[in-house]
Amino acid sequence: QVQLVESGGGLVQAGGSLRLSCAASGLTFSSHNLAWFRQAPGKEREFVAAISWTGGSIYYENFVEGRFAISTDNAEITGFLQMNNLKPDDTAVYYCAAQQAGPYSGNWDDYDYWGQGTQVTVSS
């Protein structure tokens, strides 16, 4: 059974950093694309970043502006989203998602597995 579990969220002041983790069981990121999405209160869910199953391609939404970095560990069972210079607008629930190896997608519905989310709150 596939499971994705996010961790690392919390409360941080503007300008601070957080590192989100996505622990996978039942799959590896050597055969699945990994993506991070987020949903702020009252807003639609949006794509944040993705890394291809080969690790050779990485994509960021424009609002990231060089502040975030997506990666996976050598064992390919944990994904990360390093977030620096956080802003209050980054406040949201962050979800990781896994997609069977293939062309990258920024669409939530194209992914096969999703985590339950971790809350990130950035205070001004």
Side-chain angles (χ1 to χ4, degrees), residues 86-115:
L86 284 161
K87 304 175 182 180
D89 284 348
D90 295 318
T91 294
V93 177
Y94 284 72
Y95 302 89
C96 64
Q99 177 189 32
Q100 190 75 31
Y104 141 81
S105 171
N107 187 339
W108 172 271
D109 291 333
D110 289 335
Y111 283 75
D112 303 301
Y113 307 101
W114 306 266

PDB file of all heavy atoms in Angstrom, residues 86-115:
ATOM      1  N   LEU A  86      10.913  32.893   3.615  1.00  0.00           N
ATOM      2  CA  LEU A  86       9.472  32.708   3.569  1.00  0.00           C
ATOM      3  C   LEU A  86       8.728  34.022   3.768  1.00  0.00           C
ATOM      4  O   LEU A  86       9.197  34.926   4.479  1.00  0.00           O
ATOM      5  CB  LEU A  86       9.041  31.696   4.627  1.00  0.00           C
ATOM      6  CG  LEU A  86       9.337  30.245   4.259  1.00  0.00           C
ATOM      7  CD1 LEU A  86       9.338  29.349   5.489  1.00  0.00           C
ATOM      8  CD2 LEU A  86       8.322  29.746   3.239  1.00  0.00           C
ATOM      9  N   LYS A  87       7.582  34.102   3.119  1.00  0.00           N
ATOM     10  CA  LYS A  87       6.742  35.293   3.175  1.00  0.00           C
ATOM     11  C   LYS A  87       5.378  34.910   3.752  1.00  0.00           C
ATOM     12  O   LYS A  87       4.966  33.750   3.658  1.00  0.00           O
ATOM     13  CB  LYS A  87       6.553  35.847   1.762  1.00  0.00           C
ATOM     14  CG  LYS A  87       7.831  36.147   1.020  1.00  0.00           C
ATOM     15  CD  LYS A  87       7.539  36.581  -0.415  1.00  0.00           C
ATOM     16  CE  LYS A  87       8.814  36.847  -1.190  1.00  0.00           C
ATOM     17  NZ  LYS A  87       8.529  37.263  -2.594  1.00  0.00           N
ATOM     18  N   PRO A  88       4.648  35.877   4.311  1.00  0.00           N
ATOM     19  CA  PRO A  88       3.299  35.559   4.811  1.00  0.00           C
ATOM     20  C   PRO A  88       2.407  34.929   3.743  1.00  0.00           C
ATOM     21  O   PRO A  88       1.564  34.086   4.062  1.00  0.00           O
ATOM     22  CB  PRO A  88       2.787  36.928   5.258  1.00  0.00           C
ATOM     23  CG  PRO A  88       4.017  37.656   5.679  1.00  0.00           C
ATOM     24  CD  PRO A  88       5.076  37.224   4.688  1.00  0.00           C
ATOM     25  N   ASP A  89       2.600  35.298   2.489  1.00  0.00           N
ATOM     26  CA  ASP A  89       1.804  34.720   1.406  1.00  0.00           C
ATOM     27  C   ASP A  89       2.108  33.244   1.180  1.00  0.00           C
ATOM     28  O   ASP A  89       1.367  32.572   0.453  1.00  0.00           O
ATOM     29  CB  ASP A  89       2.053  35.475   0.096  1.00  0.00           C
ATOM     30  CG  ASP A  89       1.336  36.816   0.059  1.00  0.00           C
ATOM     31  OD1 ASP A  89       0.477  37.050   0.942  1.00  0.00           O
ATOM     32  OD2 ASP A  89       1.635  37.629  -0.839  1.00  0.00           O
ATOM     33  N   ASP A  90       3.165  32.733   1.775  1.00  0.00           N
ATOM     34  CA  ASP A  90       3.484  31.314   1.659  1.00  0.00           C
ATOM     35  C   ASP A  90       2.682  30.471   2.653  1.00  0.00           C
ATOM     36  O   ASP A  90       2.769  29.240   2.624  1.00  0.00           O
ATOM     37  CB  ASP A  90       4.978  31.069   1.887  1.00  0.00           C
ATOM     38  CG  ASP A  90       5.845  31.698   0.815  1.00  0.00           C
ATOM     39  OD1 ASP A  90       5.471  31.600  -0.376  1.00  0.00           O
ATOM     40  OD2 ASP A  90       6.892  32.284   1.158  1.00  0.00           O
ATOM     41  N   THR A  91       1.937  31.117   3.518  1.00  0.00           N
ATOM     42  CA  THR A  91       1.114  30.393   4.488  1.00  0.00           C
ATOM     43  C   THR A  91       0.090  29.526   3.759  1.00  0.00           C
ATOM     44  O   THR A  91      -0.689  30.018   2.947  1.00  0.00           O
ATOM     45  CB  THR A  91       0.396  31.374   5.421  1.00  0.00           C
ATOM     46  OG1 THR A  91       1.376  32.058   6.213  1.00  0.00           O
ATOM     47  CG2 THR A  91      -0.580  30.643   6.336  1.00  0.00           C
ATOM     48  N   ALA A  92       0.119  28.223   4.046  1.00  0.00           N
ATOM     49  CA  ALA A  92      -0.757  27.273   3.362  1.00  0.00           C
ATOM     50  C   ALA A  92      -0.529  25.884   3.938  1.00  0.00           C
ATOM     51  O   ALA A  92       0.431  25.663   4.693  1.00  0.00           O
ATOM     52  CB  ALA A  92      -0.451  27.256   1.864  1.00  0.00           C
ATOM     53  N   VAL A  93      -1.391  24.967   3.553  1.00  0.00           N
ATOM     54  CA  VAL A  93      -1.130  23.549   3.776  1.00  0.00           C
ATOM     55  C   VAL A  93      -0.361  23.049   2.558  1.00  0.00           C
ATOM     56  O   VAL A  93      -0.784  23.269   1.423  1.00  0.00           O
ATOM     57  CB  VAL A  93      -2.428  22.754   3.961  1.00  0.00           C
ATOM     58  CG1 VAL A  93      -2.110  21.266   4.119  1.00  0.00           C
ATOM     59  CG2 VAL A  93      -3.205  23.266   5.166  1.00  0.00           C
ATOM     60  N   TYR A  94       0.761  22.411   2.798  1.00  0.00           N
ATOM     61  CA  TYR A  94       1.620  21.913   1.733  1.00  0.00           C
ATOM     62  C   TYR A  94       1.457  20.397   1.609  1.00  0.00           C
ATOM     63  O   TYR A  94       1.517  19.681   2.620  1.00  0.00           O
ATOM     64  CB  TYR A  94       3.071  22.267   2.020  1.00  0.00           C
ATOM     65  CG  TYR A  94       3.385  23.715   1.746  1.00  0.00           C
ATOM     66  CD1 TYR A  94       2.904  24.725   2.574  1.00  0.00           C
ATOM     67  CD2 TYR A  94       4.141  24.093   0.639  1.00  0.00           C
ATOM     68  CE1 TYR A  94       3.152  26.063   2.309  1.00  0.00           C
ATOM     69  CE2 TYR A  94       4.412  25.425   0.370  1.00  0.00           C
ATOM     70  CZ  TYR A  94       3.914  26.404   1.213  1.00  0.00           C
ATOM     71  OH  TYR A  94       4.165  27.726   0.943  1.00  0.00           O
ATOM     72  N   TYR A  95       1.262  19.942   0.373  1.00  0.00           N
ATOM     73  CA  TYR A  95       1.047  18.534   0.084  1.00  0.00           C
ATOM     74  C   TYR A  95       2.138  18.033  -0.859  1.00  0.00           C
ATOM     75  O   TYR A  95       2.512  18.735  -1.806  1.00  0.00           O
ATOM     76  CB  TYR A  95      -0.284  18.330  -0.608  1.00  0.00           C
ATOM     77  CG  TYR A  95      -1.497  18.812   0.158  1.00  0.00           C
ATOM     78  CD1 TYR A  95      -1.947  20.122   0.029  1.00  0.00           C
ATOM     79  CD2 TYR A  95      -2.193  17.938   0.986  1.00  0.00           C
ATOM     80  CE1 TYR A  95      -3.069  20.560   0.719  1.00  0.00           C
ATOM     81  CE2 TYR A  95      -3.319  18.366   1.676  1.00  0.00           C
ATOM     82  CZ  TYR A  95      -3.752  19.673   1.541  1.00  0.00           C
ATOM     83  OH  TYR A  95      -4.860  20.099   2.226  1.00  0.00           O
ATOM     84  N   CYS A  96       2.581  16.812  -0.628  1.00  0.00           N
ATOM     85  CA  CYS A  96       3.418  16.174  -1.636  1.00  0.00           C
ATOM     86  C   CYS A  96       2.555  15.185  -2.419  1.00  0.00           C
ATOM     87  O   CYS A  96       1.521  14.719  -1.926  1.00  0.00           O
ATOM     88  CB  CYS A  96       4.631  15.485  -1.025  1.00  0.00           C
ATOM     89  SG  CYS A  96       4.294  14.103   0.088  1.00  0.00           S
ATOM     90  N   ALA A  97       2.980  14.918  -3.632  1.00  0.00           N
ATOM     91  CA  ALA A  97       2.241  14.025  -4.517  1.00  0.00           C
ATOM     92  C   ALA A  97       3.228  13.263  -5.392  1.00  0.00           C
ATOM     93  O   ALA A  97       4.300  13.785  -5.716  1.00  0.00           O
ATOM     94  CB  ALA A  97       1.270  14.821  -5.380  1.00  0.00           C
ATOM     95  N   ALA A  98       2.870  12.054  -5.753  1.00  0.00           N
ATOM     96  CA  ALA A  98       3.726  11.214  -6.579  1.00  0.00           C
ATOM     97  C   ALA A  98       2.972  10.782  -7.835  1.00  0.00           C
ATOM     98  O   ALA A  98       1.786  10.463  -7.782  1.00  0.00           O
ATOM     99  CB  ALA A  98       4.187   9.984  -5.798  1.00  0.00           C
ATOM    100  N   GLN A  99       3.689  10.781  -8.943  1.00  0.00           N
ATOM    101  CA  GLN A  99       3.112  10.453 -10.242  1.00  0.00           C
ATOM    102  C   GLN A  99       3.974   9.382 -10.892  1.00  0.00           C
ATOM    103  O   GLN A  99       5.199   9.531 -10.943  1.00  0.00           O
ATOM    104  CB  GLN A  99       3.088  11.713 -11.103  1.00  0.00           C
ATOM    105  CG  GLN A  99       2.587  11.528 -12.511  1.00  0.00           C
ATOM    106  CD  GLN A  99       2.821  12.784 -13.342  1.00  0.00           C
ATOM    107  OE1 GLN A  99       3.790  13.500 -13.128  1.00  0.00           O
ATOM    108  NE2 GLN A  99       1.927  13.045 -14.288  1.00  0.00           N
ATOM    109  N   GLN A 100       3.328   8.351 -11.414  1.00  0.00           N
ATOM    110  CA  GLN A 100       4.060   7.305 -12.118  1.00  0.00           C
ATOM    111  C   GLN A 100       4.968   7.918 -13.175  1.00  0.00           C
ATOM    112  O   GLN A 100       4.579   8.889 -13.840  1.00  0.00           O
ATOM    113  CB  GLN A 100       3.076   6.336 -12.771  1.00  0.00           C
ATOM    114  CG  GLN A 100       3.692   5.077 -13.344  1.00  0.00           C
ATOM    115  CD  GLN A 100       4.088   4.083 -12.266  1.00  0.00           C
ATOM    116  OE1 GLN A 100       3.455   4.011 -11.218  1.00  0.00           O
ATOM    117  NE2 GLN A 100       5.128   3.320 -12.525  1.00  0.00           N
ATOM    118  N   ALA A 101       6.171   7.366 -13.305  1.00  0.00           N
ATOM    119  CA  ALA A 101       7.171   7.916 -14.215  1.00  0.00           C
ATOM    120  C   ALA A 101       6.582   8.241 -15.576  1.00  0.00           C
ATOM    121  O   ALA A 101       5.869   7.438 -16.174  1.00  0.00           O
ATOM    122  CB  ALA A 101       8.313   6.928 -14.375  1.00  0.00           C
ATOM    123  N   GLY A 102       6.870   9.432 -16.035  1.00  0.00           N
ATOM    124  CA  GLY A 102       6.366   9.890 -17.313  1.00  0.00           C
ATOM    125  C   GLY A 102       6.559  11.381 -17.408  1.00  0.00           C
ATOM    126  O   GLY A 102       7.295  11.968 -16.619  1.00  0.00           O
ATOM    127  N   PRO A 103       5.901  12.011 -18.357  1.00  0.00           N
ATOM    128  CA  PRO A 103       6.027  13.464 -18.507  1.00  0.00           C
ATOM    129  C   PRO A 103       5.568  14.188 -17.247  1.00  0.00           C
ATOM    130  O   PRO A 103       4.584  13.804 -16.612  1.00  0.00           O
ATOM    131  CB  PRO A 103       5.110  13.777 -19.689  1.00  0.00           C
ATOM    132  CG  PRO A 103       5.002  12.492 -20.438  1.00  0.00           C
ATOM    133  CD  PRO A 103       5.055  11.417 -19.402  1.00  0.00           C
ATOM    134  N   TYR A 104       6.292  15.233 -16.907  1.00  0.00           N
ATOM    135  CA  TYR A 104       5.951  16.037 -15.737  1.00  0.00           C
ATOM    136  C   TYR A 104       4.568  16.675 -15.906  1.00  0.00           C
ATOM    137  O   TYR A 104       4.145  17.003 -16.999  1.00  0.00           O
ATOM    138  CB  TYR A 104       7.013  17.122 -15.563  1.00  0.00           C
ATOM    139  CG  TYR A 104       6.464  18.468 -15.134  1.00  0.00           C
ATOM    140  CD1 TYR A 104       6.161  18.723 -13.802  1.00  0.00           C
ATOM    141  CD2 TYR A 104       6.247  19.455 -16.079  1.00  0.00           C
ATOM    142  CE1 TYR A 104       5.648  19.937 -13.428  1.00  0.00           C
ATOM    143  CE2 TYR A 104       5.735  20.675 -15.708  1.00  0.00           C
ATOM    144  CZ  TYR A 104       5.431  20.925 -14.379  1.00  0.00           C
ATOM    145  OH  TYR A 104       4.921  22.128 -14.012  1.00  0.00           O
ATOM    146  N   SER A 105       3.874  16.869 -14.775  1.00  0.00           N
ATOM    147  CA  SER A 105       2.606  17.587 -14.789  1.00  0.00           C
ATOM    148  C   SER A 105       2.520  18.495 -13.580  1.00  0.00           C
ATOM    149  O   SER A 105       2.971  18.145 -12.494  1.00  0.00           O
ATOM    150  CB  SER A 105       1.430  16.604 -14.775  1.00  0.00           C
ATOM    151  OG  SER A 105       0.215  17.306 -14.587  1.00  0.00           O
ATOM    152  N   GLY A 106       1.936  19.666 -13.769  1.00  0.00           N
ATOM    153  CA  GLY A 106       1.684  20.590 -12.665  1.00  0.00           C
ATOM    154  C   GLY A 106       0.238  20.534 -12.214  1.00  0.00           C
ATOM    155  O   GLY A 106      -0.199  21.389 -11.446  1.00  0.00           O
ATOM    156  N   ASN A 107      -0.469  19.504 -12.661  1.00  0.00           N
ATOM    157  CA  ASN A 107      -1.884  19.354 -12.366  1.00  0.00           C
ATOM    158  C   ASN A 107      -2.085  18.305 -11.274  1.00  0.00           C
ATOM    159  O   ASN A 107      -1.689  17.154 -11.439  1.00  0.00           O
ATOM    160  CB  ASN A 107      -2.622  18.933 -13.635  1.00  0.00           C
ATOM    161  CG  ASN A 107      -4.129  18.919 -13.446  1.00  0.00           C
ATOM    162  OD1 ASN A 107      -4.629  18.837 -12.332  1.00  0.00           O
ATOM    163  ND2 ASN A 107      -4.860  18.979 -14.545  1.00  0.00           N
ATOM    164  N   TRP A 108      -2.698  18.714 -10.183  1.00  0.00           N
ATOM    165  CA  TRP A 108      -2.946  17.819  -9.057  1.00  0.00           C
ATOM    166  C   TRP A 108      -3.613  16.518  -9.495  1.00  0.00           C
ATOM    167  O   TRP A 108      -3.256  15.438  -9.027  1.00  0.00           O
ATOM    168  CB  TRP A 108      -3.825  18.558  -8.048  1.00  0.00           C
ATOM    169  CG  TRP A 108      -4.345  17.771  -6.905  1.00  0.00           C
ATOM    170  CD1 TRP A 108      -5.510  17.053  -6.847  1.00  0.00           C
ATOM    171  CD2 TRP A 108      -3.738  17.635  -5.603  1.00  0.00           C
ATOM    172  NE1 TRP A 108      -5.657  16.477  -5.604  1.00  0.00           N
ATOM    173  CE2 TRP A 108      -4.599  16.821  -4.822  1.00  0.00           C
ATOM    174  CE3 TRP A 108      -2.563  18.114  -5.029  1.00  0.00           C
ATOM    175  CZ2 TRP A 108      -4.316  16.492  -3.499  1.00  0.00           C
ATOM    176  CZ3 TRP A 108      -2.282  17.790  -3.713  1.00  0.00           C
ATOM    177  CH2 TRP A 108      -3.144  16.986  -2.963  1.00  0.00           C
ATOM    178  N   ASP A 109      -4.571  16.593 -10.387  1.00  0.00           N
ATOM    179  CA  ASP A 109      -5.351  15.426 -10.777  1.00  0.00           C
ATOM    180  C   ASP A 109      -4.545  14.416 -11.587  1.00  0.00           C
ATOM    181  O   ASP A 109      -4.984  13.281 -11.783  1.00  0.00           O
ATOM    182  CB  ASP A 109      -6.581  15.863 -11.573  1.00  0.00           C
ATOM    183  CG  ASP A 109      -7.591  16.602 -10.708  1.00  0.00           C
ATOM    184  OD1 ASP A 109      -7.616  16.353  -9.485  1.00  0.00           O
ATOM    185  OD2 ASP A 109      -8.334  17.441 -11.255  1.00  0.00           O
ATOM    186  N   ASP A 110      -3.391  14.811 -12.094  1.00  0.00           N
ATOM    187  CA  ASP A 110      -2.558  13.902 -12.872  1.00  0.00           C
ATOM    188  C   ASP A 110      -1.670  13.026 -11.994  1.00  0.00           C
ATOM    189  O   ASP A 110      -1.006  12.119 -12.488  1.00  0.00           O
ATOM    190  CB  ASP A 110      -1.674  14.674 -13.844  1.00  0.00           C
ATOM    191  CG  ASP A 110      -2.478  15.280 -14.983  1.00  0.00           C
ATOM    192  OD1 ASP A 110      -3.570  14.750 -15.290  1.00  0.00           O
ATOM    193  OD2 ASP A 110      -2.015  16.281 -15.557  1.00  0.00           O
ATOM    194  N   TYR A 111      -1.667  13.329 -10.684  1.00  0.00           N
ATOM    195  CA  TYR A 111      -0.835  12.549  -9.783  1.00  0.00           C
ATOM    196  C   TYR A 111      -1.612  11.353  -9.257  1.00  0.00           C
ATOM    197  O   TYR A 111      -2.838  11.331  -9.257  1.00  0.00           O
ATOM    198  CB  TYR A 111      -0.299  13.442  -8.659  1.00  0.00           C
ATOM    199  CG  TYR A 111       0.830  14.296  -9.175  1.00  0.00           C
ATOM    200  CD1 TYR A 111       0.576  15.397  -9.987  1.00  0.00           C
ATOM    201  CD2 TYR A 111       2.155  13.957  -8.926  1.00  0.00           C
ATOM    202  CE1 TYR A 111       1.611  16.148 -10.517  1.00  0.00           C
ATOM    203  CE2 TYR A 111       3.195  14.699  -9.437  1.00  0.00           C
ATOM    204  CZ  TYR A 111       2.919  15.798 -10.242  1.00  0.00           C
ATOM    205  OH  TYR A 111       3.948  16.527 -10.776  1.00  0.00           O
ATOM    206  N   ASP A 112      -0.854  10.331  -8.855  1.00  0.00           N
ATOM    207  CA  ASP A 112      -1.459   9.062  -8.464  1.00  0.00           C
ATOM    208  C   ASP A 112      -1.614   8.906  -6.957  1.00  0.00           C
ATOM    209  O   ASP A 112      -2.486   8.165  -6.494  1.00  0.00           O
ATOM    210  CB  ASP A 112      -0.605   7.908  -8.994  1.00  0.00           C
ATOM    211  CG  ASP A 112      -0.425   7.969 -10.505  1.00  0.00           C
ATOM    212  OD1 ASP A 112      -1.458   7.930 -11.212  1.00  0.00           O
ATOM    213  OD2 ASP A 112       0.728   8.060 -10.984  1.00  0.00           O
ATOM    214  N   TYR A 113      -0.743   9.576  -6.212  1.00  0.00           N
ATOM    215  CA  TYR A 113      -0.761   9.446  -4.751  1.00  0.00           C
ATOM    216  C   TYR A 113      -0.524  10.818  -4.128  1.00  0.00           C
ATOM    217  O   TYR A 113       0.248  11.617  -4.665  1.00  0.00           O
ATOM    218  CB  TYR A 113       0.332   8.463  -4.284  1.00  0.00           C
ATOM    219  CG  TYR A 113       0.276   7.125  -4.976  1.00  0.00           C
ATOM    220  CD1 TYR A 113       1.138   6.826  -6.022  1.00  0.00           C
ATOM    221  CD2 TYR A 113      -0.665   6.159  -4.586  1.00  0.00           C
ATOM    222  CE1 TYR A 113       1.079   5.596  -6.669  1.00  0.00           C
ATOM    223  CE2 TYR A 113      -0.724   4.930  -5.234  1.00  0.00           C
ATOM    224  CZ  TYR A 113       0.136   4.672  -6.283  1.00  0.00           C
ATOM    225  OH  TYR A 113       0.073   3.451  -6.919  1.00  0.00           O
ATOM    226  N   TRP A 114      -1.149  11.038  -2.972  1.00  0.00           N
ATOM    227  CA  TRP A 114      -1.053  12.333  -2.306  1.00  0.00           C
ATOM    228  C   TRP A 114      -0.909  12.125  -0.800  1.00  0.00           C
ATOM    229  O   TRP A 114      -1.461  11.170  -0.234  1.00  0.00           O
ATOM    230  CB  TRP A 114      -2.318  13.165  -2.542  1.00  0.00           C
ATOM    231  CG  TRP A 114      -2.670  13.342  -3.975  1.00  0.00           C
ATOM    232  CD1 TRP A 114      -2.332  14.374  -4.804  1.00  0.00           C
ATOM    233  CD2 TRP A 114      -3.451  12.448  -4.794  1.00  0.00           C
ATOM    234  NE1 TRP A 114      -2.858  14.189  -6.054  1.00  0.00           N
ATOM    235  CE2 TRP A 114      -3.541  13.011  -6.082  1.00  0.00           C
ATOM    236  CE3 TRP A 114      -4.092  11.235  -4.542  1.00  0.00           C
ATOM    237  CZ2 TRP A 114      -4.231  12.394  -7.125  1.00  0.00           C
ATOM    238  CZ3 TRP A 114      -4.776  10.619  -5.570  1.00  0.00           C
ATOM    239  CH2 TRP A 114      -4.843  11.205  -6.841  1.00  0.00           C
ATOM    240  N   GLY A 115      -0.206  13.032  -0.164  1.00  0.00           N
ATOM    241  CA  GLY A 115      -0.122  13.007   1.288  1.00  0.00           C
ATOM    242  C   GLY A 115      -1.266  13.789   1.900  1.00  0.00           C
ATOM    243  O   GLY A 115      -2.110  14.352   1.195  1.00  0.00           O
TER     244      GLY A 115
END
